[in-house]
Amino acid sequence: MARMNMIQAINSAMDIAMERDPKVLVFGEDVGYFGGVFRATAGLQKKYGKQRCFDTPIAEGGIVGAAVGMGVYGLRPVVEIQFSDYIYPAFDQLVSEAARLRYRSAGGFTAPITVRTPCGGGIFGGQTHSQSPEAIFTHVCGLTTIMPSNPYDAKGLLLSAIEDDDPVIFFEPKRIYNGPFDGHHDRPLTPWTKHALGEVPEDYYTIELGKAKIVRPGDQVTVIAYGTMVHVCLAAAEESGIDAEVIDLRSLLPLDLDTLVASVKKTGRCVIVHEATKTCGYGAELVSLIQEHCFYHLESPIERVTGWDTPYPHAYEWDYFPSPYRVSQAIKKVMED
Amino acid sequence: MARMNMIQAINSAMDIAMERDPKVLVFGEDVGYFGGVFRATAGLQKKYGKQRCFDTPIAEGGIVGAAVGMGVYGLRPVVEIQFSDYIYPAFDQLVSEAARLRYRSAGGFTAPITVRTPCGGGIFGGQTHSQSPEAIFTHVCGLTTIMPSNPYDAKGLLLSAIEDDDPVIFFEPKRIYNGPFDGHHDRPLTPWTKHALGEVPEDYYTIELGKAKIVRPGDQVTVIAYGTMVHVCLAAAEESGIDAEVIDLRSLLPLDLDTLVASVKKTGRCVIVHEATKTCGYGAELVSLIQEHCFYHLESPIERVTGWDTPYPHAYEWDYFPSPYRVSQAIKKVMED
Amino acid sequence: MSRAPLQLHIPAPTCRPGDAVDFSGITVPAAGILKRPAEDTPPEQMRDYAYGLIRVLDESGHAVGDWNPKLSADTLRTGLRHMVLTREFDERMVKLQRQGKTSFYIKCTGEEAIGVAQAMALDDRDMLFPSYRQQGLLVARGCPLVRLMNQIFSNTRDNLKGRQLPIMYSEPDYGFFSISGNLGTQYPQAVGWAMASAYSGDTRIAAGWVGDGTTAEADFHYALTFATVYQAPVVLNVVNNQWAISSFQGIAGGERATFAARAVGYGLPALRVDGNDFLAVYAATKWAAERARSNLGATVIELYTYRAAPHSTSDDPAGYRPADEAKNWPLGDPVERLKQHLIALGEWSEERHSALIAEMQEQVMAQLKEAMSYGVLGDPAPNDPGSMFEDVLKEVPGRLLMQREQMLALRRKEV
Amino acid sequence: MSRAPLQLHIPAPTCRPGDAVDFSGITVPAAGILKRPAEDTPPEQMRDYAYGLIRVLDESGHAVGDWNPKLSADTLRTGLRHMVLTREFDERMVKLQRQGKTSFYIKCTGEEAIGVAQAMALDDRDMLFPSYRQQGLLVARGCPLVRLMNQIFSNTRDNLKGRQLPIMYSEPDYGFFSISGNLGTQYPQAVGWAMASAYSGDTRIAAGWVGDGTTAEADFHYALTFATVYQAPVVLNVVNNQWAISSFQGIAGGERATFAARAVGYGLPALRVDGNDFLAVYAATKWAAERARSNLGATVIELYTYRAAPHSTSDDPAGYRPADEAKNWPLGDPVERLKQHLIALGEWSEERHSALIAEMQEQVMAQLKEAMSYGVLGDPAPNDPGSMFEDVLKEVPGRLLMQREQMLALRRKEV
Ligand SMILES: Cc1ncc(C[n+]2csc(CCOP(=O)(O)OP(=O)(O)O)c2C)c(N)n1
Ligand SMILES: Cc1ncc(C[n+]2csc(CCOP(=O)(O)OP(=O)(O)O)c2C)c(N)n1
Ligand SMILES: [Mg+2]
Ligand SMILES: [Mg+2]
């Protein structure tokens, strides 16, 4: 076991994948010599040579287009989109091509690519370095969408993603690269080295895609979150004084619906939390499924706590970011109703 | 009053907008001399000259990017994306630029553009001429998203869209260009000329964006739909023998939540229908809002009837397209529960 | 200083329906005048090729000049055969579409030399990333027509399980990539495939095709950028058939530069070729393939031709161009020109040609008979609707298993 | 035939941290050798300009050759003043970022001639679509620094209501378009604006800027395509400062062609300019503006320069390039060169220059004092959170009114 922050865990996953399989290669803007603006690919070019880890032109669509072609050849490219706010130029290649290639060729061609991309706010990045665009990918059949909340999961999930034979969008909440940020921006951050989930095996392991994790068992209300919000929800659960069960989805699609349904059937109440804007966010799908499957168990309307339906405003970041207080209020609300 | 099909009504809207305001211009792939592959812009170049209605390079992102710049100058461009399946290359310019320009410039610059684009299946177009990607736009704050279901609404809504000072995505369900297709693909199509909503004033009129319409009043269950599915739902309502209230949203965002809530509070039951894939479709947002606002009035889980979570398969089109039978089964199901 | 007001320029073609055909803007250089540079010539010494036109067959049907690939008469006859087969196949399929046996078709009439000569010039193991108008590639690679017909009919033997629009073939065994409905997406994919081949120390190269209109898409730019940066072993073809549905090539930028010239800006070599000259197409493709295979990187080839057919069965060109444009196309017809060449060589005759046409028609009919025995669109109704849930992902996920159940149950009840 | 395996080429710069600086690949042509073509020269007669380098200031600080714009000493001093002000502003802002007064900053050190000379060469009413590294445009147009500082601090007077990342200015009154975080998006918008101006019979033109790295984006291609097709009155600038964060310009395709050369492929004229030569930048911009204003369409200008600063305050170039690259940049420093020129003209002196620097520093400090009186990031805490719901749409929709209520209520309770 080693102590790793999320960047180190992600780096370790790519390192091991490259070590084990010469078909794995890693590229993207600034990922080669420099090792990525967040340092996620540090050392990989030095270790595996510049053919296996390299810089690309600033052309997200070209990066994904080339990756699809490499996937068709039989390689397993792992590409980085520097910020998920900049993934839109690649949207067509992801949605029309990577996601549909297996289907339209009836399995004749496939695109086993992994797209890593930092997401989320809380770093004063303003509206173009803070977005959480997961819901536009979960609407697209053929894509798998993952968002880990800690180093241990990040490594195991990323290795599974790389080994997956279909395209995977791997969102990395950049606010928790260094530690489990719980939304209390005025308090010092606990680094991952001081957190149990910062204990990460140096060796190979995988975590199955599509399994949620109950990170705090509880009886009174189910709180569903992913990424940074998992830590916010844990704090909120404590602060609310209510015995909340907090579930970390880890994988948005495939979704571990069984775990959610079992929990809500037990608690009868549910709060869903994400940082992305509310309208048509991933939370909407969760609400829909839960009301469908747990209708007769629900004691109160499901609450969504999300980013507001505006871009992420630089100076008002902490009024935008769903705070533990806001989540705890929602927990109390569903209890009262 | 004239008899118009939906293409003619849309053409008439653009004609009038150009007539009234020299700042309105129309462009897109094949829209100039030829008048568009669906003929929506027929005659406009001839009438207004080639500076005001012209062909563009095949570059959806360039079309929207140029339109944004024109909007900044002070014009009101109306652009056509030939099929909404081909809107993805323009996604970045729509989401990162058009939708956010007013916000990021605090009102200093705006993008009053209208993007018309045919959507939906039922024409044996296969997976790249049948998509309904509305939900990836309704997730984006700053965009208005419209989908009419008949010629009368199409004209009035398009004129409002063109006059709107913010970007509008205007989806045109191509299956109902010629007549109100109700999903019975084995029966002859009634043309719009034989339908009340094919009676369209030749003059200027607008329909406010954000107002739904109850197209069939009823007491037992609320059926919410838009575009082609409105007609399918009407047929399904008849066939089910249940007194369903059918609501045509017309405008997805802004959403006329009041009308929906009032109806569901009355009926206590709800079915939501769209052609787009289910997961994270617009229906999910509707379910979420309705369960939030009508929780204590709901007698059974809200049902979603949608396209399956697969691409649109050419030969199995009628197994994919949500049929009146499928909708009527859902209506019965929410009654039974 | 008072200024004249600015004016917006909108390109327009020289003639429209009702006008006399006007190709006066096109100057056709004589065959044989361009030298053939060595395959390792630096791109900066080759810029002029982006503006010239490589032609081998002269007006009298003789092969002249440096670019003459000196093919055997047998090879030429094979090429002719593939071209005629492609044309007859197209003719028949359009008829069937008109009869309602399928929903859609796209012909490549007038452009047959491209698919056929390029397939013949490439190695069979090279990977092809085509657009929808290079059926000649499949014909020349020997893909049985019945496979294509099955796909066109979405019938029970359709290798794409009835999912794709007709002619959106995908033929892994013939090194033919799945055709995308989205224009241009295959271009950076071809470059990525070529990069993967180079990365793997393979010897196979890739080739991609787009139309003149499609050069405006982002993917064109991505492809050329990645190809030049990583010296990818790929041949990037632009089929300039003068039209993109109803838009003439000036709307894609063709008023101001050739499409081959785009390559110059990226430091890539470009060859501009008479696309209706089988020998020129063959020779240019060989040159580019040889260059790529020698680790010298990508070449852009502009194939200068004319879309004699409507855009697709959904299109009627009478709405936007004079009806007799195709007939007057200054570079003639590719089949006719290769035929004349073989005749000039004493290796062919009108009689043999008529016999060839008849033979190819028969071949089409024979394969058609087989294909129709597996059904046509909707007749019999396709019988495996559950298959629509396969191949979204490698394993059918739980969510789709449930949807399949639901769909099949509805079907049972509805019947 | 057995073949050598293919190999993937990955471009690499000549030197990395620890290596000696190596600019041996760069040949600097003498100043004054390029002729200045008439503004209406057809692009096809100008292709060589894409490979040359327009330079006016020679090694001894004299202005030489055809491109010398023959500016008055006053104008030159104005230019120098703007450049020095820009530089001092940058220096100060980085210090404030380091002190935590704001979250982010981007300098344009070494590139000051570009923004300043180009703004001076354009008309004040022309519309500018910049990237984030042309603050010199605003300085030269007389936008008060305090406005920029307010934005940088997201303070109570920030015209962007605290919404945008520092330096993402938007200044409609100065004809300066809202800077986008998304690279390149402003380029086709500039073309669209120019098309609108032409459509409207206006006389104003547009200008857009992207970096060398950004040329790989789709928007670059869209812009050049639309500009050539519609002959849009726009000046399209590529600031080739050799780096895109940590990637050298070879990763954007600069190993094989100049960025100016891209224009050639579209049939657009290109000028390649010494970006550190105030006079050359001014002259080239004037040429392109004159051309655009005369309805002759777009020009691409490659401004050849060096990013002497880190990419941003989030970057440390020590990780990817030798520390002393900037000092050794063969085209020198733009401020120093203009200063030397004025001295050579007898219109300037070291003393006056020192005084200018001091004066500009004072000006920065004075404006800073004012700006800080309106607050810095988070101090005082920004006081109108409800404003974040404005400007999503023209009218705040019901949905957002509710969210605003909710947010304000939470805030009241939380405090
Ligand atoms: C991204 C995208 N935009 C638009 C279309 C619609 N479309 C199909 S073919 C075509 C014209 C293409 O012209 P060109 O590239 O010249 O090829 P050609 O048909 O002449 O072979 C258009 C606009 C599409 N399929 N994909
Ligand atoms: C679409 C997009 N992709 C990536 C980024 C991240 N990014 C910001 S600046 C930059 C480098 C740009 O380099 P260049 O165009 O040369 O401009 P320079 O910084 O040198 O002025 C990158 C990759 C972005 N802002 N937008
Ligand atoms: Mg074409
Ligand atoms: Mg740069």
Side-chain angles (χ1 to χ4, degrees):
Chain A
M1 283 291 193
R3 293 277 171 186
M4 296 188 195
N5 65 24
M6 234 164 121
I7 285 290
Q8 290 162 332
I10 286 162
N11 183 279
S12 170
M14 286 186 278
D15 188 357
I16 289 170
M18 292 174 90
E19 182 98 48
R20 290 166 59 97
D21 184 355
K23 292 190 184 316
V24 175
L25 72 177
V26 171
F27 53 94
E29 296 159 18
D30 300 295
V31 313
Y33 183 87
F34 185 57
V37 296
F38 290 104
R39 324 294 304 135
T41 56
L44 298 179
Q45 181 176 89
K46 194 155 191 196
K47 185 160 173 192
Y48 297 102
K50 66 189 169 68
Q51 269 77 11
R52 289 193 69 191
C53 175
F54 54 84
D55 291 336
T56 61
I58 303 173
E60 292 76 11
I63 292 169
V64 174
V68 170
M70 291 179 180
V72 168
Y73 181 91
L75 303 184
R76 291 192 177 272
V78 181
V79 306
E80 175 176 307
I81 300 295
Q82 202 163 82
F83 286 87
S84 61
D85 315 59
Y86 304 138
I87 203 166
Y88 307 118
F91 200 61
D92 190 43
Q93 281 285 346
L94 286 168
V95 170
S96 306
E97 297 296 311
R100 287 162 175 265
L101 183 54
R102 181 188 290 278
Y103 194 80
R104 75 174 201 234
S105 67
F109 297 104
T110 61
I113 71 174
T114 303
V115 179
R116 293 179 40 245
T117 186
C119 69
I123 57 148
F124 278 100
Q127 53 120 0
T128 54
H129 300 87
S130 307
Q131 294 170 35
S132 297
E134 65 273 9
I136 59 172
F137 294 100
T138 49
H139 184 43
V140 177
C141 52
L143 295 180
T144 290
T145 305
I146 305 297
M147 196 188 296
S149 71
N150 60 70
Y152 181 85
D153 284 356
K155 177 168 172 180
L157 291 167
L158 182 53
L159 275 160
S160 290
I162 296 171
E163 290 174 6
D164 195 273
D165 288 323
D166 287 300
V168 179
I169 316 285
F170 192 88
F171 285 104
E172 302 173 1
K174 61 179 105 66
R175 187 60 179 83
I176 54 171
Y177 271 156
N178 295 319
F181 179 66
D182 66 4
H184 287 293
H185 55 91
D186 38 6
R187 301 186 194 159
L189 184 78
T190 317
W192 283 115
T193 42
K194 301 221 172 109
H195 191 283
L197 292 167
E199 292 217 357
V200 179
E202 288 183 68
D203 293 342
Y204 171 87
Y205 67 95
T206 58
I207 295 175
E208 189 182 345
L209 307 180
K211 295 287 170 220
K213 192 164 75 178
I214 298 173
V215 290
R216 183 190 192 287
D219 273 330
Q220 291 183 282
V221 52
T222 302
V223 179
I224 306 173
Y226 47 90
T228 305
M229 287 301 133
V230 170
H231 306 285
V232 174
C233 291
L234 285 171
E238 292 311 319
E239 291 161 28
S240 70
I242 289 162
D243 188 22
E245 177 146 301
V246 180
I247 302 179
D248 177 358
L249 285 185
R250 307 199 289 192
S251 166
L252 277 56
L253 214 69
L255 174 68
D256 187 354
L257 187 58
D258 291 347
T259 297
L260 307 187
V261 168
S263 176
V264 177
K265 282 191 174 164
K266 176 177 71 176
T267 62
R269 300 171 195 274
C270 182
V271 174
I272 291 164
V273 185
H274 58 60
E275 207 179 331
T277 51
K278 182 174 190 175
T279 299
C280 290
Y282 190 62
E285 181 62 27
L286 294 173
V287 173
S288 301
L289 291 171
I290 290 168
Q291 77 87 35
E292 183 184 341
H293 293 274
C294 309
F295 186 81
Y296 299 102
H297 294 79
L298 277 173
E299 313 265 353
S300 63
I302 305 165
E303 276 285 306
R304 286 183 284 171
V305 179
T306 69
W308 309 114
D309 281 335
T310 75
Y312 222 115
H314 179 248
Y316 296 103
E317 175 143 274
W318 301 123
D319 290 303
Y320 185 95
F321 187 94
S323 65
Y325 179 72
R326 223 178 118 201
V327 177
S328 72
Q329 290 298 101
I331 291 175
K332 287 182 191 158
K333 176 152 184 248
V334 298
M335 290 308 299
E336 280 159 25
D337 270 322
Chain B
M1 283 291 193
R3 293 278 172 185
M4 296 189 195
N5 65 25
M6 232 162 121
I7 285 289
Q8 291 161 332
I10 286 163
N11 185 278
S12 170
M14 286 186 276
D15 188 355
I16 290 171
M18 292 173 91
E19 182 98 49
R20 291 166 58 99
D21 184 355
K23 293 191 183 315
V24 174
L25 71 178
V26 171
F27 53 94
E29 297 159 19
D30 300 295
V31 314
Y33 184 88
F34 185 57
V37 296
F38 290 103
R39 323 296 302 134
T41 56
L44 298 180
Q45 181 174 90
K46 195 156 191 193
K47 186 161 172 192
Y48 297 101
K50 64 189 170 69
Q51 269 77 11
R52 289 194 66 192
C53 176
F54 53 85
D55 290 336
T56 61
I58 304 173
E60 292 76 11
I63 293 169
V64 174
V68 170
M70 291 178 180
V72 169
Y73 181 91
L75 303 184
R76 290 190 178 273
V78 181
V79 306
E80 176 177 307
I81 300 295
Q82 202 162 82
F83 286 88
S84 61
D85 315 59
Y86 304 138
I87 203 166
Y88 308 117
F91 200 60
D92 190 43
Q93 280 284 347
L94 287 168
V95 170
S96 307
E97 298 296 311
R100 287 162 176 265
L101 183 53
R102 181 189 289 279
Y103 194 81
R104 74 173 201 235
S105 68
F109 298 104
T110 61
I113 70 173
T114 303
V115 179
R116 293 179 40 246
T117 185
C119 68
I123 58 149
F124 279 100
Q127 53 118 0
T128 54
H129 300 86
S130 306
Q131 294 170 35
S132 297
E134 64 274 8
I136 59 171
F137 294 101
T138 49
H139 184 44
V140 177
C141 52
L143 295 180
T144 291
T145 305
I146 305 296
M147 196 188 297
S149 72
N150 60 71
Y152 181 86
D153 285 355
K155 177 169 172 178
L157 290 168
L158 182 53
L159 275 160
S160 290
I162 295 171
E163 291 174 4
D164 195 274
D165 288 323
D166 288 299
V168 179
I169 316 285
F170 192 88
F171 285 103
E172 302 173 0
K174 61 181 106 65
R175 187 59 180 85
I176 54 171
Y177 272 155
N178 295 319
F181 178 66
D182 66 3
H184 287 295
H185 55 92
D186 39 6
R187 302 186 193 158
L189 184 79
T190 316
W192 282 116
T193 44
K194 301 220 172 111
H195 191 282
L197 292 167
E199 292 217 357
V200 178
E202 288 181 68
D203 293 343
Y204 172 86
Y205 66 96
T206 58
I207 295 176
E208 189 183 343
L209 307 181
K211 295 285 169 220
K213 194 164 75 177
I214 298 172
V215 290
R216 183 189 192 287
D219 274 329
Q220 291 183 283
V221 51
T222 301
V223 179
I224 306 172
Y226 48 90
T228 306
M229 287 299 132
V230 170
H231 307 285
V232 174
C233 291
L234 286 171
E238 292 311 318
E239 290 162 27
S240 69
I242 288 163
D243 187 22
E245 176 146 299
V246 180
I247 302 179
D248 177 358
L249 285 186
R250 307 200 289 193
S251 167
L252 277 55
L253 214 69
L255 175 69
D256 187 354
L257 187 58
D258 291 347
T259 298
L260 307 187
V261 168
S263 177
V264 177
K265 283 191 173 164
K266 175 177 69 174
T267 63
R269 299 168 196 276
C270 182
V271 174
I272 291 164
V273 185
H274 59 61
E275 207 179 331
T277 51
K278 181 175 190 177
T279 300
C280 290
Y282 190 61
E285 180 62 27
L286 294 173
V287 172
S288 300
L289 291 171
I290 290 169
Q291 78 86 34
E292 182 183 341
H293 292 274
C294 308
F295 187 80
Y296 299 101
H297 293 79
L298 277 172
E299 313 266 352
S300 62
I302 304 164
E303 275 285 306
R304 287 183 285 172
V305 179
T306 70
W308 310 115
D309 281 333
T310 75
Y312 222 115
H314 179 247
Y316 296 103
E317 175 143 275
W318 301 124
D319 290 303
Y320 185 95
F321 186 94
S323 66
Y325 179 72
R326 221 178 118 200
V327 176
S328 72
Q329 290 297 102
I331 291 174
K332 288 182 190 158
K333 177 154 182 244
V334 299
M335 290 307 297
E336 279 159 24
D337 271 323
Chain C
M1 175 179 55
S2 103
R3 278 280 185 176
L6 293 164
Q7 268 187 305
L8 186 62
H9 170 77
I10 308 288
T14 48
C15 50
R16 285 293 194 186
D19 299 339
V21 174
D22 179 1
F23 282 128
S24 59
I26 297 178
T27 32
V28 181
I33 55 175
L34 281 179
K35 292 280 144 241
R36 183 181 185 284
E39 286 91 349
D40 60 358
T41 308
E44 56 273 24
Q45 290 169 28
M46 285 187 57
R47 287 180 196 140
D48 287 348
Y49 283 87
Y51 306 97
L53 196 65
I54 297 170
R55 305 183 71 226
V56 172
L57 288 172
D58 71 10
E59 311 310 308
S60 63
H62 289 96
V64 294
D66 224 16
W67 282 94
N68 182 359
K70 310 222 168 96
L71 300 176
S72 72
D74 275 348
T75 305
L76 293 173
R77 275 187 295 259
T78 303
L80 188 65
R81 197 180 174 85
H82 292 325
M83 290 206 283
V84 171
L85 182 57
T86 304
R87 185 166 291 185
E88 295 304 327
F89 171 57
D90 277 359
E91 291 305 323
R92 180 55 53 186
M93 289 298 110
V94 166
K95 288 208 183 91
L96 286 151
Q97 191 274 343
R98 295 288 178 234
Q99 292 163 18
K101 306 286 185 215
T102 188
S103 57
F104 185 76
Y105 192 74
I106 289 187
K107 293 165 80 176
C108 68
T109 315
E111 306 175 34
E112 293 91 345
I114 294 164
V116 171
Q118 296 202 276
M120 289 174 70
L122 291 164
D123 282 3
D124 273 354
R125 293 171 60 249
D126 294 335
M127 185 71 193
L128 315 175
F129 290 81
S131 91
Y132 43 76
R133 218 181 286 280
Q134 286 85 46
Q135 45 268 57
L137 293 168
L138 283 166
V139 170
R141 281 204 169 170
C143 179
L145 294 184
V146 65
R147 289 185 65 85
L148 311 185
M149 292 167 175
N150 291 339
Q151 196 280 324
I152 291 165
F153 293 143
S154 286
N155 68 18
T156 52
R157 296 280 178 106
D158 171 10
N159 71 326
L160 304 183
K161 303 187 187 173
R163 288 182 193 150
Q164 280 281 66
L165 199 66
I167 71 92
M168 298 283 170
Y169 314 119
S170 172
E171 290 288 355
D173 291 347
Y174 297 90
F176 186 98
F177 185 64
S178 158
I179 296 173
S180 178
N182 303 62
L183 293 171
T185 48
Q186 72 279 12
Y187 229 45
Q189 293 164 358
V191 174
W193 194 98
M195 288 172 70
S197 185
Y199 167 83
S200 308
D202 199 338
T203 57
R204 294 177 293 161
I205 66 169
W209 284 261
V210 294
D212 48 313
T214 304
T215 59
E217 287 286 10
D219 286 311
F220 178 79
H221 180 54
Y222 298 148
L224 270 66
T225 301
F226 278 66
T228 197
V229 168
Y230 303 109
Q231 281 194 65
V234 62
V235 182
L236 294 169
N237 301 291
V238 178
V239 181
N240 177 2
N241 62 6
Q242 313 301 318
W243 290 94
I245 309 185
S246 75
S247 300
F248 86 117
Q249 42 88 36
I251 293 293
E255 264 189 344
R256 319 235 157 252
T258 66
F259 294 96
R262 294 281 194 284
V264 174
Y266 300 83
L268 291 172
L271 301 176
R272 194 158 170 272
V273 184
D274 177 346
N276 291 10
D277 177 339
F278 181 92
L279 294 176
V281 173
Y282 184 98
T285 308
K286 263 273 181 254
W287 187 95
E290 180 60 29
R291 185 175 172 97
R293 231 181 291 279
S294 311
N295 244 320
L296 295 162
T299 301
V300 173
I301 303 181
E302 176 181 348
L303 299 134
Y304 200 68
T305 182
Y306 185 85
R307 194 197 77 208
H311 172 70
S312 72
T313 48
S314 311
D315 176 51
D316 180 5
Y320 52 82
R321 67 185 192 189
D324 49 349
E325 257 201 12
K327 278 204 201 68
N328 292 290
W329 176 242
L331 297 175
D333 175 80
V335 174
E336 201 52 35
R337 283 173 69 194
L338 184 55
K339 170 184 133 189
Q340 290 308 342
H341 176 52
L342 274 162
I343 292 177
L345 289 175
E347 295 281 356
W348 200 241
S349 67
E350 291 292 351
E351 297 66 45
R352 288 176 76 176
H353 197 75
S354 304
L356 175 66
I357 291 175
E359 186 195 338
M360 294 299 100
Q361 282 171 346
E362 244 167 71
Q363 192 169 317
V364 169
M365 291 311 285
Q367 303 214 33
L368 181 60
K369 202 171 155 207
E370 182 186 344
M372 289 182 81
S373 77
Y374 311 133
V376 296
L377 182 62
D379 180 19
N383 58 6
D384 188 10
S387 70
M388 84 161 81
F389 296 92
E390 294 161 11
D391 303 321
V392 175
L393 296 166
K394 192 175 185 186
E395 318 280 351
V396 182
R399 175 170 69 120
L400 288 186
L401 289 174
M402 279 165 49
Q403 293 187 6
R404 175 158 69 186
E405 268 324 293
Q406 202 188 334
M407 190 269 270
L408 293 173
L410 280 165
R411 244 183 166 245
R412 280 190 297 270
K413 282 194 263 169
E414 197 164 15
V415 176
Chain D
M1 176 177 55
S2 103
R3 278 280 186 176
L6 293 164
Q7 268 188 304
L8 186 61
H9 170 76
I10 308 287
T14 48
C15 49
R16 284 294 193 185
D19 298 339
V21 172
D22 178 1
F23 282 127
S24 59
I26 297 178
T27 32
V28 180
I33 57 175
L34 281 180
K35 291 280 144 239
R36 184 180 187 284
E39 285 92 348
D40 60 357
T41 308
E44 55 274 24
Q45 291 170 26
M46 284 187 57
R47 286 181 198 139
D48 287 349
Y49 284 87
Y51 306 97
L53 196 66
I54 297 171
R55 305 183 71 226
V56 173
L57 289 171
D58 70 10
E59 311 310 309
S60 63
H62 289 95
V64 294
D66 224 16
W67 281 94
N68 181 1
K70 309 224 168 92
L71 299 176
S72 72
D74 275 348
T75 305
L76 293 174
R77 274 187 296 259
T78 303
L80 188 64
R81 197 179 174 84
H82 292 326
M83 289 208 284
V84 171
L85 182 57
T86 305
R87 184 166 292 186
E88 295 305 326
F89 172 56
D90 276 0
E91 291 305 323
R92 180 55 52 187
M93 288 299 111
V94 165
K95 285 207 185 94
L96 284 151
Q97 191 274 342
R98 294 288 177 233
Q99 291 163 18
K101 307 287 185 212
T102 188
S103 56
F104 184 75
Y105 193 73
I106 289 187
K107 293 164 80 176
C108 67
T109 316
E111 305 175 35
E112 292 91 346
I114 293 165
V116 171
Q118 296 202 279
M120 290 173 69
L122 292 165
D123 283 3
D124 272 354
R125 293 172 60 248
D126 293 336
M127 186 71 193
L128 315 176
F129 290 81
S131 90
Y132 43 76
R133 217 182 287 280
Q134 287 84 46
Q135 46 266 59
L137 293 168
L138 283 167
V139 171
R141 281 204 170 170
C143 178
L145 293 185
V146 65
R147 289 185 65 84
L148 311 185
M149 291 167 175
N150 291 339
Q151 195 281 324
I152 291 165
F153 293 142
S154 285
N155 67 19
T156 52
R157 296 279 179 107
D158 172 11
N159 71 326
L160 303 183
K161 304 189 187 172
R163 288 182 192 148
Q164 279 280 68
L165 198 66
I167 70 89
M168 297 283 169
Y169 314 120
S170 172
E171 289 289 353
D173 291 347
Y174 296 90
F176 186 98
F177 185 64
S178 158
I179 296 174
S180 179
N182 303 61
L183 293 171
T185 48
Q186 71 279 13
Y187 230 45
Q189 293 165 357
V191 174
W193 194 98
M195 288 172 70
S197 185
Y199 167 85
S200 308
D202 199 339
T203 58
R204 293 177 294 163
I205 65 169
W209 284 261
V210 294
D212 48 312
T214 305
T215 59
E217 287 286 9
D219 286 311
F220 178 80
H221 180 55
Y222 298 147
L224 270 65
T225 301
F226 278 64
T228 198
V229 168
Y230 303 108
Q231 282 194 61
V234 63
V235 182
L236 294 170
N237 301 291
V238 177
V239 182
N240 177 1
N241 63 7
Q242 314 300 318
W243 291 94
I245 310 185
S246 76
S247 299
F248 86 116
Q249 44 88 35
I251 294 293
E255 263 189 345
R256 318 233 158 253
T258 67
F259 293 98
R262 293 281 194 283
V264 174
Y266 299 84
L268 291 171
L271 301 176
R272 194 156 172 273
V273 185
D274 176 347
N276 292 9
D277 176 339
F278 182 92
L279 295 176
V281 173
Y282 184 97
T285 309
K286 263 275 183 251
W287 187 96
E290 180 61 29
R291 184 174 173 98
R293 231 181 289 280
S294 310
N295 244 321
L296 294 162
T299 301
V300 173
I301 302 181
E302 175 180 347
L303 299 134
Y304 199 68
T305 183
Y306 185 85
R307 194 198 77 208
H311 172 69
S312 73
T313 48
S314 311
D315 177 50
D316 179 5
Y320 51 82
R321 66 186 192 188
D324 50 348
E325 258 202 11
K327 279 204 200 68
N328 291 290
W329 176 242
L331 297 175
D333 175 80
V335 175
E336 201 53 33
R337 283 173 70 192
L338 185 54
K339 170 184 133 188
Q340 290 307 341
H341 176 53
L342 274 162
I343 291 177
L345 287 176
E347 294 280 356
W348 199 242
S349 67
E350 291 291 351
E351 296 68 43
R352 286 176 77 177
H353 196 75
S354 304
L356 175 67
I357 292 176
E359 186 195 341
M360 294 300 99
Q361 282 171 345
E362 244 167 71
Q363 191 170 318
V364 170
M365 290 311 286
Q367 303 215 33
L368 181 62
K369 201 170 157 208
E370 182 185 345
M372 289 183 81
S373 77
Y374 310 133
V376 296
L377 181 62
D379 179 20
N383 57 6
D384 188 11
S387 70
M388 85 161 81
F389 296 92
E390 294 162 11
D391 303 322
V392 174
L393 296 166
K394 191 176 186 185
E395 317 281 351
V396 183
R399 176 170 66 118
L400 287 187
L401 289 175
M402 278 165 51
Q403 293 187 7
R404 173 158 70 186
E405 267 325 292
Q406 202 187 334
M407 190 270 269
L408 293 174
L410 280 165
R411 244 184 166 246
R412 280 190 297 270
K413 281 194 263 170
E414 197 164 13
V415 175

